[in-house]
Amino acid sequence: MPIYEYQCDDCGHELEALQKMSDDALVDCPQCKQASLTKKVSAAGFRLAGSGWYETDFKSGNKKNLAGDSSSSSAASAPAATAKSD
């Protein structure tokens, strides 16, 4: 859910609001009670809530390694082949 920034044109009050993308823009300033809020153009922040998708979801057995964990690669877990010379 995005976090939007607003600024009041009358009193200059700034605020952030956690809103759905489908929600209407806020218009009433909580500081001066005027209908003069405008949405600022900025990089909208967002919040991830609830149980999300993680790298280890849907993996089974010993495949639950994290990215970059070199000790759990398939080459490290396979036995090394030894060559015998006769």
Side-chain angles (χ1 to χ4, degrees), residues 19-82:
Q19 295 179 285
K20 292 180 182 178
M21 293 178 72
S22 60
D23 288 347
D24 292 331
L26 300 177
V27 291
D28 295 328
C29 176
Q31 187 79 23
C32 67
K33 310 296 185 214
Q34 299 297 316
S36 58
L37 279 182
T38 55
K39 192 183 288 188
K40 294 173 67 174
V41 177
S42 64
F46 65 97
R47 180 181 72 176
L48 299 175
S51 62
W53 294 78
Y54 295 94
E55 182 180 1
T56 56
D57 289 353
F58 309 112
K59 290 187 178 179
S60 61
N62 61 357
K63 292 182 182 178
K64 291 188 176 188
N65 61 313
L66 298 177
D69 185 6
S70 61
S71 65
S72 59
S73 66
S74 60
S77 61
T82 56

